[in-house]
Amino acid sequence: MVHTYEVLVDIKEFADTTNSSCQCGTSRYEISAESRQKADYMARSQARYEHPHGTEYDVRVTRLLS
């Protein structure tokens, strides 16, 4: 059975490899998946696609929406 999960992904992005300053942010996704693990994987993939320069992705499935 497919459910919709709310997933938050904290993303840390560095400007470049020679600079130690970084930009941190959180993206929110509504993911339809069969399990929390699949929702986690799909949200991480989406975050990597949207933020290709990210170095750290912290995924949290926060709640079941439907």
Side-chain angles (χ1 to χ4, degrees):
M1 176 177 250
V2 175
H3 296 287
T4 302
Y5 297 91
E6 177 186 62
V7 185
L8 300 177
V9 182
D10 294 329
I11 302 161
K12 185 182 283 188
E13 259 180 303
F14 286 93
D16 57 41
T17 56
T18 60
N19 191 344
S20 64
S21 65
C22 67
Q23 178 178 349
C24 298
T26 302
S27 293
R28 179 185 177 276
Y29 301 100
E30 290 186 9
I31 304 290
S32 295
E34 294 84 15
S35 68
R36 291 184 65 177
Q37 291 80 14
K38 288 186 180 182
D40 181 293
Y41 175 79
M42 293 169 69
R44 185 182 309 270
S45 297
Q46 184 67 29
R48 284 187 174 150
Y49 176 77
E50 291 179 1
H51 302 277
H53 299 292
T55 56
E56 295 179 26
Y57 302 91
D58 180 30
V59 181
R60 298 183 317 272
V61 178
T62 57
R63 63 185 168 153
L64 180 64
L65 298 175
S66 65

